[in-house]
Amino acid sequence: MNYKKILYFGGQKSGKSRLAEEKTLEISSSKPYYIATYDNSYNDGEMQIRINRHRLQREKKFHTIEERDDLTKVIQKENSYLVDCISMWILNNIDKDEEALLTQLEQLSDIQANIVFVLNDVNSGIIPLEKESRKFVDLTGVIGQKLSSFCDEVYEVKLGIGVQIK
């Protein structure tokens, strides 16, 4: 079987998760896994509403795995996965070395599995003044480049429309 790696990126609330879910279901031969990367320890009520909405969207279509740090622990060969989202994974791992994150992605690229990644596009604005925000924006750009280098398909999403750029 020919397994695919696919990236959906776009702004917040652009529709990328919905399109990524549809694609994951389309390319899966069995019930796929939804890897939720959000660290729900912040007691953020607004984010809890978003999480609940995402859960309802995927309801019985996916097996859910919550993994905030090491995606290589939960992605195994010959399955299909939706990783939503890489931006939260970056935030969870912001204190780690860039090379460690890139190495983890390289390991994922070698796994014979369908993996659909979701990434927020935060690189179109000005350079943030605050150091931590600047690091997040920089890492998002580096990680996005790494993902697009090994993904078979890359989609930019705006207003709920995905445009394939690779």
Side-chain angles (χ1 to χ4, degrees), residues 7 143-154 165-166:
L7 172 63
I143 296 297
Q145 288 181 59
K146 183 65 171 180
L147 287 170
S148 67
S149 75
F150 69 75
C151 281
D152 304 293
E153 299 172 17
V154 177
I165 62 172
K166 178 181 176 185

Side-chain angles (χ1 to χ4, degrees), residues 65-77:
I65 300 171
E66 293 183 9
E67 177 54 50
R68 65 178 303 278
D69 295 312
D70 188 354
L71 300 174
T72 62
K73 289 188 333 188
V74 295
I75 294 180
Q76 300 174 7
K77 66 181 183 175

Side-chain angles (χ1 to χ4, degrees), residues 1 6 8 17-34 57-63 80-82 114-116:
M1 182 172 190
I6 300 170
Y8 283 85
S17 291
R18 180 184 52 80
L19 293 175
E21 287 176 13
E22 290 171 3
K23 178 65 90 169
T24 305
L25 292 167
E26 176 187 313
I27 64 173
S28 299
S29 58
S30 60
K31 189 173 181 178
Y33 293 87
Y34 186 107
Q57 271 179 248
R58 67 180 184 262
E59 211 161 337
K60 296 176 183 169
K61 299 174 188 169
F62 291 86
H63 300 288
S80 295
Y81 299 88
L82 169 57
N114 290 317
I115 309 173
V116 178

Side-chain angles (χ1 to χ4, degrees), residues 114-139:
N114 290 317
I115 309 173
V116 178
F117 300 95
V118 175
L119 177 70
N120 286 325
D121 182 7
V122 297
N123 297 86
S124 298
I126 61 170
I127 299 170
L129 294 176
E130 198 268 320
K131 183 179 179 181
E132 192 88 348
S133 297
R134 195 168 46 249
K135 182 176 182 182
F136 176 75
V137 170
D138 289 350
L139 272 175

